[in-house]
Amino acid sequence: MASYVRVTPEQIPLGQTALLLFVHQDQLCAGVVQHRCDGRIERRIPENPSPHDLVLGICKLMADMPDDADLLVVLDPLAYWPEAFPKLRNRW
């Protein structure tokens, strides 16, 4: 079973993608952060961020992951990990 691990964008391994949580209009929303193979860090957020994208974003990322891989999570300032979600652990 996958676990959820908080990382900074720089801690994302090259070529991997992490869930990005951010606050938009006082609501928690989701996007992704990718650490590209060329070393660049790319943030992708929906054109019209919505809190409804949060669970969908998690599901999309997990669908592309091996069963035993950790889901990496980047929290922007003011963002938070909802209490109802499984425990979020720190990378270190």
Side-chain angles (χ1 to χ4, degrees), residues 1-46:
M1 182 173 169
S3 60
Y4 301 85
V5 180
R6 183 177 181 176
V7 295
T8 65
E10 295 76 22
Q11 291 173 321
I12 301 169
L14 285 175
Q16 291 193 22
T17 302
L19 176 69
L20 169 66
L21 297 184
F22 61 97
V23 174
H24 176 74
Q25 296 181 346
D26 296 327
Q27 296 186 324
L28 187 64
C29 298
V32 296
V33 177
Q34 182 180 28
H35 197 164
R36 297 170 47 119
C37 291
D38 62 9
R40 291 184 293 154
I41 296 175
E42 180 180 359
R43 290 172 50 105
R44 294 191 306 260
I45 60 172

Side-chain angles (χ1 to χ4, degrees), residues 1 14 18 43 49 55 57 59-60 62-64 73 80 85:
M1 182 173 169
L14 285 175
R43 290 172 50 105
V55 173
C59 291
K60 282 182 179 179
M62 291 186 82
D64 294 333
V73 180
Y80 58 93
F85 283 17

Side-chain angles (χ1 to χ4, degrees), residues 28-29 49-57:
L28 187 64
C29 298
S50 165
H52 302 291
D53 298 332
L54 183 58
V55 173
L56 181 59

